[in-house]
């Protein structure tokens, strides 16, 4: 699936908004957004139309995702495992949004996981400075995810 682009909403963090004009729905690796699609278990053809055994492409994608999100690998793997049945027939997309601080360190707002239809599955936010991270991540989730999945997740 080729990536698509959404306009970045106002998130209440001007530096981040000025650095990320658009959100990529699909694979991305920029200083502001890292995202990775993990193909469904039943996806057996790659982008070159080469055929693989069921689950092999998903396993390759998940291995790459764990390496990309190494600081949150446990969350990615446990969420994937809890939703393994869902990911038999739909893709998974993992999104992480961040900004580079004035001291050149990376400040991660958080990470969220959707299914192939952009339904929010789960999210995580570091507890340190969560009051700064949560509002930004929630606005980003609202831009990417379906409104019904957001309502379901936040009403619990």
């Amino acid at each position: 699936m080729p990536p698509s682009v959404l306009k970045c909403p106002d998130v209440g963090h001007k530096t981040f908004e000025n650095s990320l004009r658009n959100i990529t729905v699909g694979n991305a690796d920029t200083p502001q957004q890292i995202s990775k699609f993990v193909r469904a278990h039943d996806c057996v053809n790659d982008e070159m139309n080469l055929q693989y055994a069921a689950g092999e492409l998903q396993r390759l994608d998940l291995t790459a995702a764990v390496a990309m999100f190494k600081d949150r690998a446990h969350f990615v793997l446990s969420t994937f495992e809890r939703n393994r049945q869902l990911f038999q027939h739909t893709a998974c997309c993992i999104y992480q949004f961040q900004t580079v601080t004035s001291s050149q360190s990376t400040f991660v707002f958080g990470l969220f996981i959707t299914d192939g239809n952009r339904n929010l599955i789960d999210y995580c936010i570091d507890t340190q400075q969560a009051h700064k991270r949560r509002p930004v991540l929630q606005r980003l989730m609202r831009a990417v995810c379906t409104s019904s999945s957001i309502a379901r997740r936040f009403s619990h």
Side-chain angles (χ1 to χ4, degrees), residues 1-154:
M1 171 189 296
S4 61
V5 177
L6 302 171
K7 183 181 180 325
C8 184
D10 292 337
V11 296
H13 192 287
K14 290 299 173 197
T15 303
F16 177 71
E17 291 170 14
N18 290 333
S19 63
L20 182 71
R21 300 284 183 182
N22 296 305
I23 298 169
T24 301
V25 178
N27 294 329
D29 191 0
T30 69
Q32 297 78 29
Q33 177 187 348
I34 301 171
S35 55
K36 176 70 177 152
F37 259 112
V38 177
R39 289 171 274 209
H41 183 271
D42 60 8
C43 178
V44 294
N45 292 321
D46 69 4
E47 45 285 328
M48 302 286 290
N49 209 26
L50 296 174
Q51 194 158 8
Y52 293 81
E56 192 171 341
L57 292 172
Q58 184 181 64
R59 196 170 25 263
L60 290 170
D61 291 346
L62 192 56
T63 299
V66 166
M68 291 173 75
F69 304 104
K70 61 183 172 282
D71 292 342
R72 288 153 192 86
H74 177 74
F75 170 76
V76 169
L77 290 172
S78 64
T79 302
F80 198 86
E81 189 58 39
R82 278 193 318 274
N83 294 279
R84 185 166 292 285
Q85 193 68 18
L86 172 66
F87 297 130
Q88 290 289 313
H89 307 291
T90 187
C92 164
C93 194
I94 307 159
Y95 295 89
Q96 178 174 294
F97 292 94
Q98 57 201 24
T99 191
V100 178
T101 66
S102 57
S103 64
Q104 299 305 305
S105 62
T106 302
F107 183 85
V108 177
F109 293 106
L111 181 141
F112 62 92
I113 298 176
T114 70
D115 68 11
N117 294 317
R118 295 180 22 194
N119 292 307
L120 178 63
I121 303 300
D122 205 354
Y123 68 97
C124 74
I125 300 170
D126 290 344
T127 55
Q128 183 181 15
Q129 297 183 346
H131 66 283
K132 290 182 178 180
R133 300 172 199 268
R134 180 172 278 109
V136 172
L137 190 66
Q138 285 179 338
R139 289 180 183 119
L140 291 164
M141 287 188 287
R142 290 181 195 284
V144 173
C145 303
T146 63
S147 56
S148 60
S149 68
I150 294 282
R152 243 186 341 268
R153 184 65 177 100
F154 290 147

